[in-house]
Amino acid sequence: MASNKKLLVLPGDGIGPEVMAQVARVAEWFDRKRAIGFDLEEDLVGGAAIDAHGTPLADATMDKALAADAVLLGAVGGPKWDDLPFEQKPERGLLRLRKEMALFANLRPALCFAPLVEASTLKPEVVSGLDLMIVRELTGGVYFGEPRGIETLSDGQRRGVNTQVYTTEEIRRVAAVAFELARKRANKLCSVEKANVMESGVLWREEVTRLHGESYLDVELSHMYADNCAMQLVRAPKQFDVIVTDNLFGDMLSDAAAMLTGSLGMLPSASLGAADETGRRRALYEPVHGSAPDIAGRGKANPLACVLSFAMLLRYSLDQGAEADLLENAVEVVLASGKRTPDILQPGHEAVSTEAMGDAVLAELDRLGG
Ligand code: NAD
């Protein structure tokens, strides 16, 4: 019998614990009904860890994250900790996890659920059926490149410097993740840079093209400049299947793509590291949204971004694509039934609480797959 999967659950701050409580129920359902055994261990991150341990991520928690099959995180931060120095803020806990787990590939799907088509600011025909994935390089590029800083010049002016830098290996490893993903989807990859004006973009394009020729000729590869990609995402987003791009362009394009689908409360994400010799990758799953202090503790948070992050965990860390489909289908049916948390409520729908949304997903799981 397969051994249980070790999941480290870090609910964090604000609405984090509320939405994660619903995910814990969903995980328990899969454990009980579908024989995917989980050992869930919960720990502190962010402000909650600062309050308990004086640090946003204790070393012991970091060790558990490194040993886990996957980490699920709610959200960190809140006004209580806003005045702390930068190095001690709740967000540093998340950054430490990303850094020490070496999570270089950030996966941000933009999936437009049919019942939410009206929630997008774009025309229904532009977004209906949308299902694209942006793979953003997460640990290199201009956010980390050296030299960096602000200096004062001899004439008294100040100069700010950041450096866009990528190596062959950094490009190849994130491109490989994107090619592999494309193979499991519609088999199309669009690589995005600005090779027209940046040498790092020229290198990016050459290395992605070389890797394609070496190992992924079955995947349809195209290239696009980042500014054009921004336009195409709002003009005709359904032309894309998987997009791979660098840290800076990915930061912006993934936010733009995410908003095609409507609400922050619906957006999951995954961050993956390198595969070890057994094929296992370090992985962190989290909703895109923050700790939403304005609604925390009031039963108003939408748990679906976190639930859908768990679906990504099933698909990418446990290779349980059919189970992930089951969970995503359950979410879609619940939305179609008109049950909505306040963030996605439209006239004629039934307003439900965070927990009632969890109830509805579980009831649908029972109906579809119990
Ligand atoms: P936020 O994502 O927390 O909230 C933005 C808006 O969206 C708020 O009005 C909030 O009520 C709403 N919202 C967010 N998630 C929702 C959900 N699941 N259901 C319903 N409504 C939801 O962003 P913010 O207000 O800019 O930041 C609040 C705190 O969260 C800050 O301390 C910030 O640093 C932190 N933050 C953390 C993360 C993270 O943990 N990954 C990400 C972003 C912000």
Side-chain angles (χ1 to χ4, degrees):
M1 207 178 127
S3 61
N4 282 0
K5 298 295 176 188
K6 279 180 9 190
L7 304 189
L8 179 65
V9 177
L10 303 172
D13 308 316
I15 62 169
E18 299 167 52
V19 294
M20 195 61 85
Q22 304 316 312
V23 177
R25 298 171 74 200
V26 168
E28 192 271 331
W29 185 92
F30 277 93
D31 187 289
R32 188 163 38 86
K33 293 282 180 70
R34 309 289 288 192
I36 309 175
F38 293 116
D39 291 331
L40 261 60
E41 184 170 6
E42 198 171 303
D43 210 332
L44 303 174
V45 67
I50 292 172
D51 290 351
H53 305 303
T55 170
L57 190 80
D59 291 346
T61 315
M62 188 68 241
D63 290 344
K64 287 180 200 167
L66 292 173
D69 286 302
V71 180
L72 257 171
L73 184 134
V76 294
K80 182 175 174 192
W81 306 282
D82 274 354
D83 295 332
L84 288 174
F86 185 67
E87 283 304 315
Q88 294 165 28
K89 279 188 185 298
E91 288 75 7
R92 301 303 296 180
L94 181 51
L95 294 179
R96 181 175 178 198
L97 279 168
R98 287 182 183 154
K99 183 161 179 244
E100 294 192 25
M101 292 171 77
L103 304 173
F104 62 81
N106 182 225
L107 278 51
R108 291 265 301 260
L111 183 69
C112 191
F113 287 99
L116 290 184
V117 106
E118 298 293 337
S120 171
T121 49
L122 297 192
K123 293 187 186 119
E125 62 269 28
V126 176
V127 290
S128 147
L130 175 72
D131 179 2
L132 71 84
M133 173 77 81
I134 298 202
V135 180
R136 164 189 170 193
E137 201 290 325
L138 202 57
T139 53
V142 73
Y143 293 165
F144 297 95
E146 299 281 349
R148 63 184 298 159
I150 300 175
E151 61 186 352
T152 303
L153 303 176
S154 54
D155 65 359
Q157 287 196 76
R158 296 207 302 155
R159 192 168 80 127
V161 177
N162 290 92
T163 304
Q164 166 80 338
V165 54
Y166 273 106
T167 61
T168 304
E169 187 45 36
E170 284 173 321
I171 298 167
R172 285 175 67 94
R173 66 183 184 176
V174 74
V177 168
F179 277 120
E180 298 287 341
L181 273 172
R183 271 187 179 155
K184 290 186 178 170
R185 295 171 45 98
N187 222 24
K188 275 169 51 179
L189 177 64
C190 180
S191 172
V192 171
E193 28 56 17
K194 283 203 48 99
N196 49 343
V197 287
M198 297 169 75
E199 283 76 9
S200 57
V202 172
L203 182 76
W204 185 283
R205 188 174 287 219
E206 287 176 2
E207 291 301 335
V208 173
T209 304
R210 182 167 303 138
L211 183 63
H212 180 240
E214 285 167 16
S215 309
Y216 296 103
L217 276 174
D218 54 307
V219 178
E220 187 189 319
L221 173 66
S222 61
H223 302 274
M224 193 178 275
Y225 297 140
D227 46 344
N228 184 27
C229 184
M231 277 200 294
Q232 296 300 329
L233 275 174
V234 285
R235 191 187 73 84
K238 283 188 268 184
Q239 69 186 281
F240 297 108
D241 176 26
V242 179
I243 291 172
V244 65
T245 189
D246 74 16
N247 204 343
L248 174 65
F249 298 139
D251 194 0
M252 292 168 195
L253 295 174
S254 63
D255 268 18
M259 274 301 111
L260 300 173
T261 68
S263 166
L264 207 48
M266 292 296 303
L267 299 170
S269 79
S271 301
L272 307 179
D276 65 16
E277 59 286 351
T278 67
R280 191 189 75 135
R281 287 180 190 278
R282 295 233 164 91
L284 173 74
Y285 298 85
E286 55 180 325
V288 168
H289 63 70
S291 59
D294 53 331
I295 57 166
R298 294 159 61 192
K300 288 186 165 183
N302 184 346
L304 295 179
C306 208
V307 168
L308 293 169
S309 300
F310 182 74
M312 291 186 85
L313 184 157
L314 290 171
R315 178 169 279 120
Y316 298 119
S317 280
L318 308 188
D319 210 14
Q320 297 278 356
E323 304 297 326
D325 287 345
L326 173 68
L327 181 51
E328 287 166 356
N329 285 342
V331 167
E332 176 143 18
V333 176
V334 169
L335 292 171
S337 76
K339 290 191 167 62
R340 302 287 168 91
T341 43
D343 57 309
I344 49 173
L345 192 65
Q346 285 163 339
H349 290 143
E350 178 193 350
V352 299
S353 68
T354 308
E355 190 174 356
M357 185 56 102
D359 293 342
V361 171
L362 289 173
E364 206 45 55
L365 282 173
D366 273 339
R367 205 181 62 79
L368 291 171

